[in-house]
Amino acid sequence: MISPLSSAGVPMTPRSRIASPTLSSTTGGVIPGSEYSSSAAGFRRSASVSDFQIERSRRRRSGSHERGGVYAEEEAVYRESVARLLLARERPFSISGKIPVEVNELVLFFRSKSGITHALDFPVDLEYGAPPALDVLVAACRSHQTNDANDYTDRESLFYPPNLPLTASLDIASHPILDAVRGGLFQDLEPEKYLVAVRDKLEVVVSGSRMGVQPRMLRSDGRVATVVVTLPVRFRGGALVVHSEDGRMEKYHGRGGKPGDIEWVGFLNECDYEVETVTKGCRMIISYGLHIRTYASASIMEPSDNFLDLISPILNLSRGRKIGFYLTHNYGINPSEVVADSLVPKLRGGDALLYHSLKLYKLSPELQYTAGGYIWPVDRMVELYGDDIQSKPAFPGSMPFSVAHRPHNQPPMRGAFSVYGDADDEEVANLRARVEESGAIPLSEAEVSVLGETAGRERVYFVSQGELEKLVVHVLLIVYVP
């Protein structure tokens, strides 16, 4: 068979018959000219244009270590920031706010050393000239003893002498400042205690001066906090800085005395405060000392003669007996956590009127829980242990989801051991046994004559047969008439 010839006259060989590269018997390599070459490590294919080429940095591993160090540093900063936030939330030492008042109606009355009474109207903007009353006020002021000026060019901060009469038409008691301070700084203050404000002094920081640190030792009048109110006099700079006892700091720049809402800052008595340099205008502040007071044993509420006349025949016909009146208001307490007598400072409306009227008759009224014909002693709470629970009953938020959210076809209990829907005798008997175990006794054994119908309701959560129930509890105002 004749092989085909190429264009050059050379016989052509089919590709399938071309010999594959074979190892050399002498060198152990490959046929010269092939794309493979020998090496001590074995076979290695030479680079091709179609292959991907990757250049790796020798510092790749060290770079990962550097990033790990950066991440660790960021994590430390993150943890520290969270710790500072939680500390500020758990232990606040100062708060601030605004008073929505008409500054045009605000007037400061004071008496100068000459005995003349002056009135300073607000707002004041020194760019348009100082009112004559302001010049008289500044001239009557004294320098702070805590001035920390380091040379004679610094101007001192001033305060109005406490022996001269001074009053302002602004009454912070008519604004919810004390409620805000109580909620922000005294969250655990007992219900029978309240805050009162006593005006302390007027302080003036004119342009170019600053107020040095006012240490807490200067406020030794028994106060628990201080409220500083900035009067509407325009100024720049002069930020109020409050330092806590543990080294924290809050800086309040404010609005510079612009017309509108009046700014105030409250802080604990353990804090020091200062005012930075006022660069323009004049910063004028009035400080108030906050004190804790306790409600007197005798109420300031006095019933009318007609109301007392309505009680008199009932008491005359009840001699030698215990009588009880249901409280008419809901007070939102948990009878499993507090005794009924703790409601006395919270009584309102007719409940407070009746309680203090009985006190005027030299009687000793008490508050006790009652439910289902049972009454708890004055020193006992409604604690329904047993059955499905192993500890004290809790509110729904602390119970498992399947327990707190019961099906709609199984409503909670209500009233005197009655329920919505069907209730078997075993369930009622179990509840009665748990009530008796908690210390309650029948009203008949307590020899209490209840006058009137139920009104106010409190609720106690408990678990019965795997479901969360609510026992409705009433509060009785009980008094023995000798």
Side-chain angles (χ1 to χ4, degrees), residues 174-193:
S174 60
H175 299 279
I177 295 180
L178 299 183
D179 292 337
V181 173
R182 176 170 185 157
L185 302 179
F186 300 97
Q187 307 92 333
D188 300 328
L189 191 63
E190 294 83 353
E192 64 273 11
K193 296 182 179 180

Side-chain angles (χ1 to χ4, degrees), residues 92-97 176-187 226-228 240 242 250 252 264-268 290:
F93 62 91
S94 68
I95 58 174
S96 64
I177 295 180
L178 299 183
D179 292 337
V181 173
R182 176 170 185 157
L185 302 179
F186 300 97
Q187 307 92 333
T226 300
V227 170
V228 174
L240 177 66
V242 181
E250 290 283 359
Y252 299 95
W264 63 271
V265 176
F267 50 88
L268 297 175
L290 302 189

Side-chain angles (χ1 to χ4, degrees), residues 112-193:
S112 62
K113 298 177 182 179
S114 60
I116 301 176
T117 301
H118 301 265
L120 178 61
D121 297 322
F122 296 97
V124 176
D125 191 346
L126 298 182
E127 289 187 356
Y128 299 97
L134 180 60
D135 294 334
V136 176
L137 177 67
V138 173
C141 290
R142 301 176 184 173
S143 300
H144 274 107
Q145 297 178 354
T146 57
N147 178 57
D148 55 358
N150 53 12
D151 56 56
Y152 294 103
T153 60
D154 290 341
R155 303 183 64 180
E156 301 175 348
S157 58
L158 309 171
F159 71 96
Y160 192 77
N163 61 316
L164 296 179
L166 174 74
T167 185
S169 58
L170 173 66
D171 182 14
I172 67 172
S174 60
H175 299 279
I177 295 180
L178 299 183
D179 292 337
V181 173
R182 176 170 185 157
L185 302 179
F186 300 97
Q187 307 92 333
D188 300 328
L189 191 63
E190 294 83 353
E192 64 273 11
K193 296 182 179 180

